[in-house]
Amino acid sequence: MSATTAGSGPVGPVTEGTGAHGPRRARATVRAADGVRIDAAYEPGPGPVGGPVVVLAHGFTGDLDRPHVRRAAHFLARHAAVVTFSFRGHGRSGGRSTVGDSEVLDLAAAVTWARSLGHSRVITLGFSMGGSVVLRHAGLHGLAELPAAPDGAAGGAAGGVPDTAANAAAASTAAGTAARTAAGTNGGRTEARGGAHGAEAFLPAPLSEADRLVFDGGRADRTDLVIAVSSPARWYYRGTAPMRRLHWLVTRRLGRTVGRLGFRTRIRPGDWDPVPLSPTALAPYIAPVPLLLVHGDRDPYFPLDHPRALQRAAGTHGELWIERGMGHAENATDEALLGRLWRWAERTGAAAGA
């Protein structure tokens, strides 16, 4: 059965029925906070209702029906419930792709739906663009939850960040990353920051609309563990031939036509303004949520300086696996690696009490 949920997120579970162990397999349309309709699917997994759920975020030009996405979902469903969804502009979802900006709203809607189905522990697992989205989503929540300083108070390290070495380092890292980007390669466009509370004061420009909606949206879509596979660390990277082709696909009219007709991906024209916070800028704020970064040493899109930059930004909190002989994203993630990812999530979640 397929059904639609309305509002700025799912309104209750939409399923094919309810069995002794809770909701059964389902296909639903959920709405992101900006109203875009997102195609989503649910597989209940082997455990009782309330067990862990993996929310799987695909890469650019993928969708939930692609064979490599279904393969990963079916494998993970042996261990836990799984929610897959198609980002905006992909597959049956509405809207147009923004290549990592507004997609945080799609993930938030999928996580909210997963929690509405009775799951109290959510693992977000993203590949490539989806990896950048799960990092940004978790980091925005972490940033939002930092306490603000009282009016007129120094606020510890600066601007409301608690006066601890870890948070001071996080604020410094995020501020430095955002400032370097503002001074660097983005052609004078407005960089991202927040405004009045928590660590927002460190960031040198307004949050993008999507970032603001996640930042202000409460905790219903929070995640408990984050796994990012083959994620970029920064925006506008053109250092490899595949990324130069991807930029052609996104920035040229003919490229967007090829994306629509050849890859079933509808891409929004125009550049970001303001530029959303990058994965590296937000990585310091993911803690204390457990974080795993996975990257292949033969990734043709993003070389190893990307995962290493993300790990540096996350500090001692982020764990990094460099996979020998691995290429890029879902297509390069075999069942052996998926099994290791699940065991990490199971072990880490138990240790963290998630």
Side-chain angles (χ1 to χ4, degrees), residues 6 8 16 43 68 74 118 123 138 141 152 196 211 227 238 246 250 253 325 332 347 349:
S8 60
E16 292 183 347
E43 296 187 47
H68 53 275
H74 291 326
I123 301 155
H141 274 283
D211 285 1
I227 304 173
R238 293 177 171 85
L246 186 147
V250 170
R253 179 180 294 181
R347 180 178 67 252

Side-chain angles (χ1 to χ4, degrees), residues 273-302:
D273 191 7
V275 175
L277 286 166
S278 72
T280 301
L282 283 168
Y285 299 108
I286 294 174
V289 173
L291 168 64
L292 175 62
L293 304 164
V294 181
H295 212 91
D297 66 357
R298 295 187 180 178
D299 190 314
Y301 288 82
F302 304 114

Side-chain angles (χ1 to χ4, degrees), residues 101-311:
D101 178 13
S102 297
E103 283 74 10
V104 291
L105 303 178
D106 310 342
L107 176 65
V111 170
T112 302
W113 185 47
R115 290 197 182 276
S116 78
L117 293 169
H119 298 282
S120 59
R121 178 183 165 208
V122 175
I123 301 155
T124 49
L125 166 59
F127 297 89
S128 192
M129 181 186 77
S132 73
V133 172
V134 301
L135 292 170
R136 286 180 12 80
H137 172 261
L140 285 165
H141 274 283
L143 181 64
E145 290 169 12
L146 288 176
D151 289 344
V161 179
D163 193 8
T164 68
N167 282 329
S172 174
T173 301
T177 300
R180 284 192 299 274
T181 307
T185 59
N186 290 348
R189 291 177 293 274
T190 307
E191 295 303 323
R193 74 152 173 139
H197 65 86
E200 285 189 279
F202 286 105
L203 304 171
L207 287 169
S208 72
E209 180 182 352
D211 285 1
R212 170 63 61 186
L213 286 169
V214 173
F215 186 91
D216 290 337
R219 290 179 53 79
D221 66 302
R222 71 192 185 282
T223 185
D224 299 295
L225 292 96
V226 180
I227 304 173
V229 180
S230 306
S231 174
R234 57 191 181 274
W235 305 136
Y236 303 105
Y237 178 72
R238 293 177 171 85
T240 59
M243 285 305 298
R244 290 190 287 275
R245 289 194 293 270
L246 186 147
H247 277 84
W248 176 83
L249 197 74
V250 170
T251 61
R252 302 297 180 90
R253 179 180 294 181
L254 177 58
R256 292 190 294 274
T257 300
V258 171
R260 184 179 74 252
L261 299 178
F263 296 100
R264 297 187 297 173
T265 302
R266 303 170 307 281
I267 304 164
R268 189 183 71 182
D271 207 347
W272 293 324
D273 191 7
V275 175
L277 286 166
S278 72
T280 301
L282 283 168
Y285 299 108
I286 294 174
V289 173
L291 168 64
L292 175 62
L293 304 164
V294 181
H295 212 91
D297 66 357
R298 295 187 180 178
D299 190 314
Y301 288 82
F302 304 114
L304 292 178
D305 65 301
H306 283 259
R308 287 169 177 156
L310 288 168
Q311 186 186 37

